[in-house]
Amino acid sequence: MTSSTSNSKPNNSAQSDASIEREEDIRNARGRRKIGLYTVICGGLMILVSMGLVNIGIASLRYSSLNPFSIERIQATGGNLGAALELPEDDPREVVYVLGSSLIHFGFSPDLFDEELNAAGVPTISYNFGFGNADPSIHAKFARKLARTFADHPGRIDRVIYEFAPHGATQRRADTSGQLNHATTAILSSWGDIGQTLLDDPEEAFALANTRLFRSGVPAEAITHMLATPITMAKINDTVKDRPKPVPMDNLGWDLFNQLREDWPESIPFGGWSAQYRGGFPPTASPRALELSDQVMQRMQDPVRMESALQQRISCCDILGLEMSPEMIAHVIETIRYAQSIAKDVDIVVMPQNQDIVHVSPQGEENFKKALAEVVAATGVDVVDIYKEPYLGIEYFFDADHYTFFKGRSKVTQMMADHYLPQEEKETH
């Protein structure tokens, strides 16, 4: 008994030590778990705060700048695609939707277009759905939204005129189009589309929802593009560094902008979408605004500024070589087919460029000719070709391809309207 009792004491002591060690291990493990949990919570909060600050900063850019990256214009045009549904179903006018790039946004006047056709006995109401910084890949998303908007109302739109800009469908443009791809997917897609993306790519779906809900449509890609712009412009300006410096613009641009805001309180230059003017701008303005516009355009038409504008279009869009992108041409066809699914007629318009400075190479002309033939063969659309005829030079442009705000816009709109005049009117026009 004595021996047995004596032997049990070391065993009990060992068990007690082991128990203490286990309890200490448990306490240490609990401590580590708490530290880990606090780290995750604090890290997560820091990430959320950082994301919030980034989102607030990016969203504020959207509202503190003039239509940055065309986001405001794209959102507004997309939100007003159903404008024709507000018309009475028995409205006798032909409803015309004009889609395209900034050449349409700033170059097509619904008021002037309708005025000419109405005077010729063709009752018409047209709408401007053009926006800048876009290419056919973005137009296809926009046309998909248009098709969905009118899916239950086929034929309410009599005609869609879609601008096919050759330099907007080049390989070089395709290589640099990513800055707005994410943003337009976020703001032009339905939540069902984003939900489908969630199944295929959760990370991308989260990014789309974040851009749409918290960044007001402005993506990170657009910010990096903006930061890179000074470098790009420096390279472009280097091509004209040996030329005489043009007369400074001073504050003329802002003076014109502020005068137009005063003249057109119901319009929103240069973002947004004015219901009163059906997406366009009024055809005229006050004498002071017209005077300022002439001064701004004259300074923009300085030969050095024009050369810089041409170099910018060469850099971004290969405007002279026109090596076409098969992917972009496919998007042009996709855009047209969406429009054809809901409109009675669909045409494409090829808008004029500043022929005093834009001299497309023979190979570029051939490339575009083949691309245009491919589009027509695939869709059967008619072409409103005002690309080269009549000849338009520098007096109608403030850069390589954008029209002066009054004279150029009026001229180009008239050229588009002339195509739709009755034959007898065309002969006497």
Side-chain angles (χ1 to χ4, degrees), residues 43-334:
L45 287 173
M46 290 181 65
I47 291 173
L48 289 175
V49 169
S50 300
M51 288 178 61
L53 291 174
V54 170
N55 287 341
I56 290 170
I58 292 176
S60 66
L61 177 66
R62 155 74 164 76
Y63 295 104
S64 63
S65 303
L66 296 178
N67 191 31
F69 324 112
S70 292
I71 294 296
E72 180 182 359
R73 175 68 179 183
I74 295 171
Q75 286 178 317
T77 51
N80 284 279
L81 278 172
L85 295 176
E86 299 177 7
L87 300 173
E89 290 193 25
D90 59 351
D91 193 307
R93 294 173 293 182
E94 182 172 88
V95 176
V96 179
Y97 272 29
V98 184
L99 280 57
S101 70
S102 56
L103 303 191
I104 293 297
H105 181 189
F106 295 107
F108 175 73
S109 169
D111 282 346
L112 293 174
F113 186 83
D114 299 353
E115 180 182 342
E116 180 167 340
L117 289 176
N118 289 332
V122 184
T124 301
I125 180 168
S126 61
Y127 299 83
N128 183 329
F129 288 103
F131 49 84
N133 285 328
D135 55 53
S137 67
I138 294 172
H139 293 152
K141 299 170 191 173
F142 191 79
R144 179 185 64 182
K145 186 175 178 68
L146 172 67
R148 289 173 172 175
T149 301
F150 284 87
D152 295 330
H153 309 278
R156 288 294 295 276
I157 299 175
D158 294 287
R159 186 181 305 279
V160 168
I161 304 174
Y162 171 51
E163 176 221 351
F164 178 22
H167 58 295
T170 60
Q171 187 59 52
R172 188 169 302 168
R173 184 59 184 264
D175 293 340
T176 59
S177 66
Q179 69 188 52
L180 276 181
N181 184 57
H182 175 86
T184 51
T185 300
I187 63 180
L188 294 175
S189 297
S190 68
W191 283 112
D193 296 328
I194 295 177
Q196 182 59 47
T197 303
L198 180 64
L199 300 176
D200 302 330
D201 188 346
E203 183 177 348
E204 175 64 11
F206 174 79
L208 291 171
N210 184 54
T211 297
R212 182 164 177 167
L213 292 174
F214 302 114
R215 291 187 174 181
S216 298
V218 180
E221 292 89 346
I223 302 300
T224 55
H225 174 80
M226 179 186 71
L227 295 174
T229 296
I231 299 174
T232 303
M233 293 308 300
K235 292 179 180 178
I236 291 170
N237 291 334
D238 191 55
T239 64
V240 293
K241 64 181 180 180
D242 296 328
R243 303 277 294 274
K245 290 186 177 181
V247 177
M249 293 296 296
D250 298 325
N251 290 321
L252 281 174
W254 281 109
D255 291 343
L256 174 60
F257 175 81
N258 291 325
Q259 185 63 52
L260 291 177
R261 288 300 297 262
E262 182 178 326
D263 290 357
W264 304 337
E266 301 302 320
S267 189
I268 312 171
F270 294 101
W273 195 92
S274 170
Q276 179 178 355
Y277 300 109
R278 301 182 304 287
F281 300 106
T284 189
S286 66
R288 175 57 177 160
L290 296 176
E291 178 187 0
L292 285 169
S293 179
D294 285 343
Q295 293 177 26
V296 170
M297 298 307 153
Q298 286 174 6
R299 296 197 185 186
M300 292 295 293
Q301 290 165 345
D302 180 278
V304 176
R305 286 197 175 96
M306 281 290 171
E307 178 62 24
S308 294
L310 175 62
Q311 291 300 322
Q312 190 274 335
R313 279 301 194 231
I314 292 173
S315 174
C316 78
C317 310
D318 190 21
I319 195 171
L320 303 184
L322 295 181
E323 180 187 348
M324 309 305 289
S325 162
E327 180 183 5
M328 288 296 188
I329 299 304
H331 285 309
V332 170
I333 294 170
E334 181 184 12

